[in-house]
Amino acid sequence: MWKHPATHTHQLSDATGTPMNLLTDWVRAGKFPSTYNQLDYPCESCQSPIYAGRLCYSCLGTFRTAALDIQTRIPRRSATGLFSIAGHAKSY
């Protein structure tokens, strides 16, 4: 690998005969030095190739938007004893 630091995960798998699932587990776990920055693994949501983290930028944005949407729908108790649901306060 030191002769070919720009190798991709699929190329490494083909050249060494190592199963892709084992290689992707090693890459995800950080077993390779950062000089091998072309080694990728699949996003846990959509399976797109990524190089860091668990989700690609697209899926991360989708989950972040969904979380914010859910957060606005959850009733919150304010300091005055009022619940606020999507901007409408009700006293209980």
Side-chain angles (χ1 to χ4, degrees):
M1 281 188 60
W2 61 273
K3 288 183 180 182
H4 305 284
T7 189
H8 291 273
T9 311
H10 291 286
Q11 293 168 330
L12 182 60
S13 176
D14 292 342
T16 62
T18 306
M20 274 299 294
N21 61 344
L22 184 58
L23 275 178
T24 56
D25 287 346
W26 289 346
V27 173
R28 185 179 285 123
K31 302 282 184 186
F32 293 95
S34 61
T35 54
Y36 303 111
N37 57 7
Q38 296 299 314
L39 297 177
D40 60 3
Y41 52 92
C43 167
E44 290 183 15
S45 179
C46 70
Q47 305 303 310
S48 294
I50 58 174
Y51 300 94
R54 296 175 60 184
L55 299 171
C56 66
Y57 289 116
S58 176
C59 290
L60 188 60
T62 301
F63 282 107
R64 186 173 288 138
T65 301
L68 290 172
D69 184 47
I70 290 169
Q71 185 178 9
T72 61
R73 294 171 189 241
I74 296 175
R76 302 278 183 207
R77 176 177 265 181
S78 68
T80 61
L82 298 176
F83 283 94
S84 175
I85 301 173
H88 303 288
K90 293 187 180 184
S91 178
Y92 290 95

